[in-house]
Structures are given as C-alpha cells and as structure tokens.
Amino acid sequence: MYSETEDVIRALAENAESVCRAYLPAGRREGSYWIVGDLQNNPGRSLFVRLTGPTSGPGARGKWQDAAVGLHGDLLDIIRERTGISRFPDLLAEARAHLGRPQPVLPNTPVPKKAKAPGGTPAAAARLFAASVPVAGTLADTYLRARGITQGGRMSALRFHPNCWHRDEGQTRSIPRPALIAAVTDGAGAFQGVHRTWLALDGQGKADVETQRRAMGHLLGNAVRLTPHEDILVVGEGIETMLSLSEAASGLPVWAALSSGHLGAVQLPEGLQRLYIAIDRDQAGQRAAERLSARALVAGIAVRVLEPRLGDFNDDLRAYGKEALRQHLAGQIGPEDRHRLSG
C-alpha cells in the first residue's frame, strides 16, 4: 500500500548528505557519516547521521543518533527541529520542497475538479497574509501596545487576521482565533512564509492555548524584515523583541529570525558592513549569536552583540521604559551608529 510519508523519508535518506548540508550546515562529512554537535546545529561531534547503508532496518542511511543525550530518529526529525514546523502536513511540504518535488497525487485517487491548495507552503502563507488587514487599530495593535510597542501599526511586514484557524496537538477540530500575522521573506524580498501569534480576545496577551505561536512556509535562512536594512542591520529572535528595539531607536534596521535556531542560520544581505545581534539572555541565544557571528566575520562584516538586562529586550522595555532601553543600547552600540538612537 502506498504511503507518501514512507516515500518522502526514503527519498530524504537517499539524499541524506544534501539534507544535512541544508539543515545542519555546522557539521561535516567524515566517511559514511555527517558529524555535528547536536540537533541545534552547534559545532561538535556528538550527533552523527548515516549517509550510506540500506534503505531500512539496522544501519539504514538517514538515521541519526546523538550520543550525548541518547536521542535518535530520522531526517524528518532533523527538519522539524531546525525549522520549528510542528504540523506534520507542513513538515512534509518542507521536505518535498527540499527534494524539489511537486505536491503528490496518490495513485488510483481521482483528482477533484478544483483541488484545494496545500497548506504549509509559501503560496498558502501568502494567501493568509493577503487575507489579513493592517495592524493599526486592530486587536493586534492592542496586543503590541500592551507590551509597550506603539510602532507595530506602521510595519508593513505585520498584519492582523480576526479568524485564523488554530488547533493544538491532539485536537481534532480547528477553532478560529484572532492572530498577529508576520511575513517571512527571503533576500530578494520574495514571500516565503508567515508566523502566527494567536491572541486573547481582549488583546491583552496571547491566547490561552498550548501552542500560542506557529510558523508555516520556508523559514530557514529567511526572516521577518520589520524595517529595510542599510549598511547595518540588527537581527534577533522574536518579533516583540525586535519591535522593542525599534521602539527605543527607530533608526535601527531590525529583522526577526523567529527562533534561536533560525537566528544562527539567517542569510545576511550583500553589502552589509556592521551586524548587531540582539540576543535573548539564555544559552540557546548565546549559541545562536556565536554561529551567526562566525559566519558574519568570515564574510568581512563587523559584529557586535546586544544584550538585554532581563530575559529579552521586550522585558527591558516593559520593566524600564523606552528611554532607559535607549540608554542601555547606547552603551553597547558602536560610536558610528549612536546617532540612530535619537529617535
């Protein structure tokens, strides 16, 4: 009996080295294995992926094991971890995209006259963004202002959808909920995905659900480009984090990579001279900054790391206010860019 999942896993295994180069670029091939530090793509030798061997059974190609923590799995697990995709149909769409495959048509299954477009793809993400409305005056604006952010309504990369479908893991029925929608684009400005943050009905916080955020589309290497970059750029993880920096210093061009894993892999624009990495104060943020710093320095880009006083820069904004955050940044930003802190 045909199983598309098994077919995709088999195809990924047959292209195991290509998958590893795309999703675990910090590693390297050594003989029949791809060696890397862990699933977060840190340098090291704990995790190994088999690049050769049978297609199934003991010693199968595409299988991995992390000796340090005792984890193991297949290449779909690696793609899930590195992209943050949680919905299985979206994960298969990401895998098919890497393999260069079109959406499948199962044998002996009649094609409906008007087939429903697949979810989880850049095209589906673009449709969701187009169906949303500008943030200003909406529940998303209320949410951002509750977090001390007043400039969200001016960001073209952000929109609001009043009825964005949501389903927690294990639930069988989707429920429409209000959501902040963010566009994920590539270096050419092409639409690659969206990030959704589901909101409470009064806009004073996130929705009271298990999964409050979820992304769809192709995320690796791309970002939410909140403001256009110049010869300098500030990149960090969360949307609210980067909006907080823009709140305190509107002259800073800011991007949100959406997670620590994606922060380390974001593709830097050509012509960039100075990069500021706005980290969250945790171990994952530190490691992501190290990976991105190493890549930037190889490209001849000057790098500085911006650290918050609390957990992240939105925590700082809410705890201390805009002016205090601006002064805190002034002590970390290069002298050639301090004029950007006046607004």
Side-chain angles (χ1 to χ4, degrees), residues 6-199:
E6 292 179 1
D7 185 45
V8 168
I9 292 174
R10 186 181 303 110
L12 290 172
E14 291 170 352
N15 296 272
E17 184 170 351
S18 168
V19 175
C20 290
R21 290 189 181 279
Y23 295 97
L24 295 173
R28 57 186 292 180
R29 178 165 187 159
E30 294 187 14
S32 299
Y33 299 95
W34 188 266
I35 308 294
V36 71
D38 52 32
L39 281 177
Q40 287 69 49
N41 192 41
N42 291 308
R45 302 182 58 82
S46 174
L47 188 148
F48 61 91
V49 185
R50 294 183 182 273
L51 303 180
T52 61
T55 57
S56 62
R61 71 180 76 174
K63 297 295 185 180
W64 60 268
Q65 183 173 343
D66 189 333
V69 294
L71 295 176
H72 59 87
D74 58 33
L75 293 170
L76 269 183
D77 297 318
I78 290 175
I79 295 175
R80 179 190 291 110
E81 177 66 26
R82 298 294 295 126
T83 61
I85 297 172
S86 57
R87 288 189 69 248
F88 192 72
D90 298 347
L91 184 63
L92 284 182
E94 173 76 13
R96 284 193 296 267
H98 176 79
L99 294 167
R101 290 187 169 195
Q103 294 300 318
V105 178
L106 302 183
N108 303 320
T109 301
V111 178
K113 293 182 180 179
K114 188 174 181 180
K116 183 180 178 181
T121 64
R127 288 193 297 274
L128 176 60
F129 193 77
S132 305
V133 300
V135 164
T138 68
L139 206 64
D141 201 3
T142 301
Y143 164 73
L144 293 174
R145 288 178 182 275
R147 298 185 68 121
I149 299 165
T150 64
Q151 306 299 315
R154 300 166 56 182
M155 304 288 181
S156 61
L158 302 179
R159 292 174 76 86
F160 170 71
H161 197 297
N163 295 294
C164 183
W165 291 106
H166 176 276
R167 183 177 63 196
D168 271 329
E169 296 296 328
Q171 292 184 340
T172 59
R173 187 169 64 93
S174 296
I175 299 174
R177 300 182 185 276
L180 173 67
I181 310 294
V184 177
T185 52
D186 62 18
F191 206 96
Q192 295 296 329
V194 294
H195 183 271
R196 296 156 288 177
T197 302
W198 281 279
L199 308 176

Side-chain angles (χ1 to χ4, degrees), residues 143 147 197-201 203-209 212-213 240:
Y143 164 73
R147 298 185 68 121
T197 302
W198 281 279
L199 308 176
L201 296 180
Q204 294 301 309
K206 300 183 185 70
D208 185 17
V209 292
Q212 298 175 321
R213 303 170 182 265
E240 295 90 342

